[in-house]
Amino acid sequence: MTALAGSTPDALWATSLRRWNTVCWLLFAVMAVGLVAIDRPGGSKYVALVLLGAVVLSYAVLDRFPANPVVRPHVYLSVLVVALGGLAYLRGNYAALFMVTLPHYWMFGRTPRASTLFLGLAAAATLVASVLRQDGWTVEFFTETLVSTVLVVAVGALIGLWAHSVVGQSAERARLITELEQAQAELSEAHQRQGAADERERMARDIHDTLAQGFASIIVLAEAARAGLDSDPARSAQQLRSIESTARENLAEARELVGSGRRPDQTAAGSVAETLRRTLDRFAEDTGLTVDAELEDLECDQQTRIALLRCTQESLANVRKHARASTVGVVLARQPYGVELEITDDGAGFLVEESSGFGLDGMRKRLAELGGRLTVTSSVGDGTRVLALIPLGATA
């Protein structure tokens, strides 16, 4: 409807301006009726009607069609200044129109400077017209017209500046709220993306530590069984049974991952030492390597048990695939600073700083989630030592 109303974010301001707009239309109607019914016929009557009609027409066009290219806000204010000056010259009761249209200078002025300029022009026009109508600087002009006009203009300017200040603060507050809502939406989206990425990484790590390792074991056992079918049928049969057992375990783990989205739980039964013992016995049976184990019977929470099992499985898988070792040592013990798992082999070793792979990174991240750390020590020809430490605060 107006420049001021258009920039006001509060419904209270819009309602107040609509009410003032209604009062303005009522005043236009009363003035028109007064000019037609009360004033004596004559040229001044018709000129006053023309001036009022110009104001009404300009205001109606701007109110109904604010984007029209002809009657722009400053054009309407210019017409209002001319009309007030003309009515002040022709008649003495222009003050009502001046007071009711005071908000228009701030509604259509766009800026405080422009609003003040047009308000000053309107005041000057009415004062000059009053001087001309009263034939000079009379006492009545100074005591009535000048004082009342200055008071009206001063009050209008103060109210207008205050309204602009309030509207500016409201607009700034609305802008800040919008920016805050956008920031919150972006933050929420970022959290969702991060959560999805973390979940994908967790699923990938679980798949690598369970299904992928199981499939790798099946491949190695299948190759060994095929190679020994003629020379050692009993050994091949044992390897086929291991393949079947591993496949069943992988199937159960896959159903757990797909069906519930939870981490596969192979540590539900027995202590962590018993779980690791079963894993080591299975590894020794499948590979024929010598496994020396010293496993202290510890009570740990579920996440710690899973982390210890996954580290053991990953380390044994690396021994199977890369180490070419003959002996593997595993030590599980409680230390003053936490639970310690050490896995060593006498294999070929490798350069730790040049190694890259999902397995070691997965172990490091899994332990880091529990506040622990992974240390890998190795050199070419001297075997490998993997040390996993989980602080006591992560255990039950």
Side-chain angles (χ1 to χ4, degrees):
M1 182 179 73
T2 65
L4 187 58
S7 63
T8 303
D10 300 326
L12 177 61
W13 281 103
T15 301
S16 300
L17 291 172
R18 282 195 298 269
R19 292 174 179 174
W20 197 276
N21 189 40
T22 302
V23 172
C24 191
W25 282 111
L26 290 175
L27 177 65
F28 289 156
V30 171
M31 290 187 65
V33 171
L35 288 173
V36 172
I38 300 176
D39 279 11
R40 293 173 298 177
S44 62
K45 174 179 179 179
Y46 299 119
V47 173
L49 285 172
V50 169
L51 292 174
L52 181 61
V55 172
V56 172
L57 179 61
S58 299
Y59 183 62
V61 172
L62 189 59
D63 183 40
R64 295 297 180 181
F65 308 100
N68 77 90
V70 179
V71 183
R72 305 305 300 154
H74 288 182
V75 173
Y76 166 70
L77 293 179
S78 300
V79 172
L80 184 58
V81 169
V82 173
L84 285 172
L87 291 174
Y89 179 75
L90 297 174
R91 306 168 49 78
N93 56 350
Y94 65 91
L97 178 63
F98 195 1
M99 293 179 63
V100 174
T101 57
L102 274 177
H104 290 184
Y105 297 98
W106 303 98
M107 292 159 58
F108 297 108
R110 304 293 184 181
T111 64
R113 178 178 297 181
S115 300
T116 305
L117 174 62
F118 279 104
L119 183 59
L121 291 175
T126 56
L127 291 176
V128 171
S130 298
V131 170
L132 295 176
R133 178 173 57 85
Q134 296 175 11
D135 296 327
W137 305 90
T138 62
V139 176
E140 179 185 357
F141 169 78
F142 283 103
T143 57
E144 297 181 5
T145 305
L146 180 60
V147 173
S148 61
T149 302
V150 170
L151 287 176
V152 169
V153 171
V155 172
L158 292 176
I159 293 176
L161 291 174
W162 172 79
H164 264 282
S165 175
V166 172
V167 169
Q169 293 175 2
S170 300
E172 179 66 14
R173 183 171 64 251
R175 184 186 66 80
L176 293 175
I177 292 175
T178 301
E179 291 180 355
L180 178 60
E181 292 174 347
Q182 292 176 349
Q184 290 175 337
E186 293 174 358
L187 182 61
S188 176
E189 184 179 353
H191 284 167
Q192 292 177 356
R193 289 197 301 267
Q194 184 61 41
D198 291 343
E199 181 64 15
R200 285 195 299 269
E201 181 179 349
R202 184 190 68 79
M203 291 291 292
R205 190 168 61 220
D206 284 339
I207 291 173
H208 175 273
D209 292 347
T210 56
L211 302 182
Q213 299 294 2
F215 290 138
S217 177
I218 288 173
I219 292 173
V220 172
L221 290 171
E223 291 175 347
R226 185 175 66 249
L229 282 176
D230 297 331
S231 59
D232 193 354
R235 177 66 175 169
S236 297
Q238 176 60 38
Q239 290 167 337
L240 289 175
R241 286 192 294 272
S242 295
I243 290 175
E244 179 182 0
S245 177
T246 303
R248 291 183 184 278
E249 291 175 0
N250 269 22
L251 179 60
E253 291 165 354
R255 286 173 175 170
E256 182 71 17
L257 282 171
V258 174
S260 65
R262 296 190 299 270
R263 302 178 184 220
D265 182 8
Q266 296 182 0
T267 65
S271 67
V272 64
E274 294 174 352
T275 303
L276 295 185
R277 174 64 67 184
R278 289 195 297 267
T279 301
L280 295 174
D281 291 345
R282 177 74 173 276
F283 174 79
E285 180 183 348
D286 292 344
T287 61
L289 300 181
T290 301
V291 177
D292 296 328
E294 297 180 13
L295 306 177
E296 185 177 341
D297 192 9
L298 303 175
E299 290 298 329
C300 304
D301 66 6
Q302 188 72 351
Q303 295 303 318
T304 301
R305 298 169 69 187
I306 292 175
L308 293 172
L309 174 62
R310 295 294 181 248
C311 288
T312 303
Q313 290 174 326
E314 177 63 25
S315 298
L316 295 179
N318 289 335
V319 171
R320 184 201 301 264
K321 290 184 291 185
H322 308 297
R324 299 191 300 276
S326 59
T327 303
V328 176
V330 179
V331 177
L332 175 67
R334 180 186 294 274
Q335 303 294 343
Y337 44 81
V339 177
E340 194 174 80
L341 173 67
E342 181 185 49
I343 303 172
T344 58
D345 67 74
D346 59 354
F350 65 100
L351 296 178
V352 178
E353 61 274 9
E354 296 181 1
S355 66
S356 61
F358 190 85
L360 291 178
D361 288 341
M363 283 194 289
R364 290 190 178 96
K365 291 179 180 178
R366 188 184 294 277
L367 293 174
E369 290 176 357
L370 300 176
R373 67 178 184 271
L374 181 74
T375 303
V376 181
T377 306
S378 181
S379 60
V380 177
D382 291 334
T384 301
R385 175 177 179 263
V386 176
L387 180 63
L389 173 63
I390 300 177
L392 287 173
T395 61

